[in-house]
């Protein structure tokens, strides 16, 4: 039987209580507990103090969720979106419960488009709307001041807010105010998505991870020194790997010839490698063993799949040089090199007909296309120079220039300027037209 999910529900006492009520409907898979607050600024402290006590966190809205993000939690975080149904509820309270005149209204959190569409759907006359869809972290006092200034100046006659503290303060100041609540329907939908997502991640974390580790040039070491020296290197490396695998709660096998196999679960390996971005023992191995050590990490649902992927990862690393660590995922995406500034994530699959056609047109491999797209995404800018492309793709600068010229010729890139570095020749800046490049994939 699968362990129950310990769920923390965070929000103002009233809305958190509603979420708790809905969460009890899923008591067959959830153990919910409410952690209430009076102001969303309390969220980081709540999360920090209780992080180890829960598997998953549900926030009553995007405000506390954004606060939680800055706390850098490694647990799954979800929030109940204030969708159109929440606005309908607010309009119902304004018109039929409080019987207020809805001439000019200030809204926080929602965009003007969402508000206008809600009024159109209800066929109600559209009032004058002031919308404050802030970006990033905002305090309740700032939102309160925004609503109050509009009301005090006569620009609005009603305020609609998602903040409990703002609602209480505006009511105290005499401002006609309505609070947005998460609806039961939205809470129920969010919980279903959260549970499904968590279960998927739990299965993924329990996947097998196989690491193939080899001493590069092992035979050359034997020839240049002796088999005894090679064995000493193996024993030193074994001690390092033994401490490493102990942290992973896994097992290690010495295969001879400077080769090792490590077995563990994906979950622990993900944490130690910081989501497959670094290999924490590379520096120690370099310091103590002083030879190049390569590694291939394979992930899979079965031992066979994980082992096959580890061999593939090791082979991909060998193509890039010595001392390279790569990962091949269960979906055949490649991650790596680990502990490198040119770390990428890309696919090696070649069964996409449109991608193969594009590769044929450019006279490069599908894998190279995927690495090119991953490089552009990693650089996160509009232009690229041949030197950067060569560094990420592990090709010569000359080959990178040839590839970029080919992209220009085929209409997938254009020269947009030059970059002067030092006293050398200016480097051409290329803009790769992602939309045109991806168009064949979408057909």
């Amino acid at each position: 039987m699968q362990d129950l999910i310990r769920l923390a529900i965070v929000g103002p006492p009233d809305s958190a209580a509603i979420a708790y009520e809905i969460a009890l409907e899923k008591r067959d898979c959830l153990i919910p507990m409410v952690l209430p607050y009076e102001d969303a600024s309390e969220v980081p402290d709540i999360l920090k103090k209780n992080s180890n006590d829960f598997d998953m966190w549900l926030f009553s809205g995007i405000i506390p969720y954004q606060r939680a993000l800055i706390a850098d939690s490694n647990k799954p975080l979800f929030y109940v979106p204030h969708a159109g149904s929440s606005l309908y509820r607010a309009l119902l309270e304004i018109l039929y419960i409080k019987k207020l005149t809805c001439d000019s209204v200030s809204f926080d959190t929602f965009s003007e488009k969402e508000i206008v569409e809600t009024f159109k759907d209800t066929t109600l006359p559209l009032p004058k709307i002031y919308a404050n869809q802030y970006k990033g972290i905002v305090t309740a006092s700032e939102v309160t001041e925004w609503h109050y200034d509009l009301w005090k100046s006569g620009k609005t006659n009603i305020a609609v807010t998602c903040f409990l503290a703002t609602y209480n303060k505006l009511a105290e100041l005499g401002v006609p105010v309505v609070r947005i609540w998460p609806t039961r329907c939205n809470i129920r939908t969010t919980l279903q998505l959260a549970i499904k997502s968590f279960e998927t991640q739990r299965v993924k974390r329990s996947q097998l991870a196989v690491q193939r580790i080899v001493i590069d040039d092992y035979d050359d070491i034997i020839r240049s020194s002796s088999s005894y020296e090679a064995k000493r290197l193996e024993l030193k490396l074994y001690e390092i790997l033994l401490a490493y695998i102990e942290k992973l709660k896994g097992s290690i096998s010495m295969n001879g010839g400077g080769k090792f196999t490590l077995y563990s679960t994906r979950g622990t390996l993900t944490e130690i490698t910081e989501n497959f971005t670094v290999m924490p023992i590379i520096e120690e191995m370099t310091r103590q063993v002083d030879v190049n050590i390569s590694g291939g990490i394979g992930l899979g649902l079965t031992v066979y799949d994980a082992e096959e992927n580890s061999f593939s990862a090791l082979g991909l690393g060998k193509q890039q040089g010595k001392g390279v660590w790569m990962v091949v995922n269960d979906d055949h995406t490649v991650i790596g090199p680990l502990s490198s500034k040119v770390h990428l994530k890309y696919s090696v699959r070649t069964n996409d007909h449109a991608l193969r056609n594009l590769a044929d047109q450019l006279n490069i491999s599908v894998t190279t296309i995927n690495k090119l797209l991953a490089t552009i995404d990693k650089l996160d800018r509009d232009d690229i120079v041949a030197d950067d492309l060569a560094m990420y793709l592990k090709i010569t600068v000359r080959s990178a220039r040839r590839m970029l010229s080919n992209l220009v010729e085929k209409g997938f890139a254009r020269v947009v300027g030059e970059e002067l570095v030092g006293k050398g020749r200016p480097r051409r800046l290329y803009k790769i037209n992602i939309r045109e490049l991806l168009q064949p994939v979408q057909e």
Side-chain angles (χ1 to χ4, degrees):
M1 181 180 175
Q2 193 74 272
D3 292 337
L4 296 179
I5 303 169
R6 299 171 301 169
L7 173 68
I9 300 172
V10 183
D14 45 11
S15 56
I18 297 174
Y20 179 78
E21 175 191 325
I22 301 302
L24 287 178
E25 297 174 2
K26 298 288 185 179
R27 57 169 60 90
D28 59 323
C29 61
L30 293 177
I31 303 176
M33 180 175 174
V34 172
L35 300 177
Y37 64 74
E38 292 300 320
D39 190 280
S41 61
E42 302 168 38
V43 167
D45 285 338
I46 291 174
L47 198 120
K48 185 176 180 181
K49 291 176 183 176
N50 301 277
S51 180
N52 295 327
D53 299 329
F54 298 96
D55 304 308
M56 186 168 73
W57 292 71
L58 177 68
F59 298 91
S60 61
I62 194 170
I63 310 303
Y65 173 78
Q66 289 175 331
R67 293 277 186 175
L69 289 178
I70 65 174
D72 195 25
S73 171
N74 60 355
K75 301 293 177 65
L77 310 176
F78 301 90
Y79 72 91
V80 181
H82 292 311
S85 54
S86 298
L87 278 172
Y88 296 143
R89 185 190 179 283
L91 292 179
L92 181 67
E93 182 174 348
I94 290 171
L95 297 172
Y96 296 102
I97 299 177
K98 293 190 174 183
K99 300 185 184 302
L100 298 171
T101 302
C102 192
D103 294 330
S104 183
V105 190
S106 58
F107 293 83
D108 60 56
T109 308
F110 291 91
S111 69
E112 185 173 348
K113 181 181 178 182
E114 290 174 300
I115 300 163
V116 170
E117 287 181 349
T118 299
F119 274 90
K120 286 182 177 179
D121 289 341
T122 59
T123 68
L124 291 169
L126 185 66
K128 175 67 177 175
I129 291 172
Y130 293 87
N132 186 358
Q133 190 186 21
Y134 38 79
K135 294 182 180 179
I137 301 299
V138 66
T139 65
S141 60
E142 290 172 332
V143 176
T144 302
E145 185 178 355
W146 177 78
H147 281 291
Y148 185 67
D149 286 347
L150 287 170
W151 178 78
K152 191 176 181 181
S153 63
K155 293 180 179 178
T156 61
N157 63 327
I158 302 171
V160 179
T161 181
C162 294
F163 292 76
L164 174 61
T166 294
Y167 173 82
N168 290 334
K169 185 62 178 178
L170 289 176
E172 180 186 321
L173 292 169
V175 180
V177 59
V178 171
R179 180 158 158 246
I180 293 287
W181 295 61
T183 65
R184 285 172 169 77
C185 178
N186 288 346
I187 295 170
R188 193 171 285 114
T189 300
T190 302
L191 272 178
Q192 290 171 347
L193 291 173
I195 292 168
K196 185 176 181 180
S197 175
F198 184 86
E199 293 294 356
T200 299
Q201 289 301 314
R202 179 144 63 182
V203 169
K204 185 162 277 193
R205 285 179 61 83
S206 66
Q207 283 183 352
L208 293 169
V210 175
Q211 301 180 65
R212 300 280 177 186
I213 300 169
V214 301
I215 298 175
D216 293 326
D217 302 323
Y218 184 80
D219 292 338
D220 291 342
I221 294 170
I222 294 176
R223 282 193 292 269
S224 63
S225 53
S226 67
S227 60
Y228 295 109
E229 183 62 28
K231 289 297 180 185
R232 289 190 186 96
L233 284 174
E234 276 191 290
L235 289 173
K236 275 188 180 180
L237 180 56
Y238 180 79
E239 288 183 10
I240 297 169
L241 294 177
L242 193 60
Y244 169 62
I245 199 64
E246 185 177 6
K247 292 179 182 178
L248 291 172
K249 297 180 174 61
S251 61
I252 183 172
S253 172
M254 288 185 72
N255 307 128
K259 299 174 183 178
F260 303 82
T261 306
L262 279 60
Y263 297 90
S264 64
T265 61
R266 178 184 185 135
T268 53
L269 187 58
T270 300
E271 293 173 6
I272 284 181
T273 60
E274 297 178 23
N275 200 23
F276 302 111
T277 57
V278 300
M279 177 46 62
I281 57 171
I282 284 182
E283 187 177 331
E284 186 177 358
M285 289 189 300
T286 303
R287 186 177 65 253
Q288 292 196 33
V289 183
D290 196 27
V291 293
N292 289 314
I293 311 293
S294 294
I297 300 175
L299 308 171
L301 289 171
T302 66
V303 174
Y304 177 81
D305 289 339
E307 286 184 334
E308 287 292 302
N309 288 338
S310 70
F311 280 119
S312 297
L314 190 61
L316 288 167
K318 291 287 187 182
Q319 292 175 14
Q320 299 193 32
K322 298 174 183 178
V324 177
W325 288 69
M326 301 291 289
V327 181
V328 172
N329 217 323
D330 57 324
D331 60 359
H332 300 288
T333 53
V334 177
I335 306 171
L338 303 190
S339 296
S340 168
K341 63 180 181 180
V342 293
H343 173 275
L344 293 175
K345 181 176 181 180
Y346 57 93
S347 175
V348 291
R349 287 192 166 178
T350 60
N351 59 347
D352 188 300
H353 179 69
L355 271 179
R356 287 204 312 274
N357 286 342
L358 181 59
D360 291 341
Q361 187 178 352
L362 296 172
N363 197 28
I364 56 179
S365 69
V366 172
T367 299
T368 300
I369 290 176
N370 285 323
K371 289 177 73 173
L372 172 63
L373 294 172
T375 299
I376 297 167
D377 184 61
K378 180 73 176 285
L379 291 173
D380 193 27
R381 63 173 188 260
D382 291 337
D383 49 58
I384 189 171
V385 294
D387 298 65
D388 287 342
L389 189 61
M391 181 173 63
Y392 277 92
L393 268 56
K394 296 292 182 181
I395 58 178
T396 65
V397 176
R398 185 176 179 181
S399 296
R401 289 197 192 103
R402 191 182 303 119
M403 182 185 297
L404 289 166
S405 296
N406 191 20
L407 287 168
V408 171
E409 184 182 335
K410 302 294 185 184
F412 297 124
R414 68 180 191 275
V415 178
V416 293
E418 291 184 335
E419 180 181 64
L420 185 61
V421 180
K423 296 181 180 180
R425 292 173 54 189
R427 304 187 303 184
R428 282 187 171 184
L429 286 169
Y430 295 84
K431 178 177 175 59
I432 297 177
N433 303 317
I434 297 296
R435 184 173 298 176
E436 285 79 1
L437 192 62
L438 291 179
Q439 189 64 42
V441 182
Q442 298 171 348
E443 289 177 355

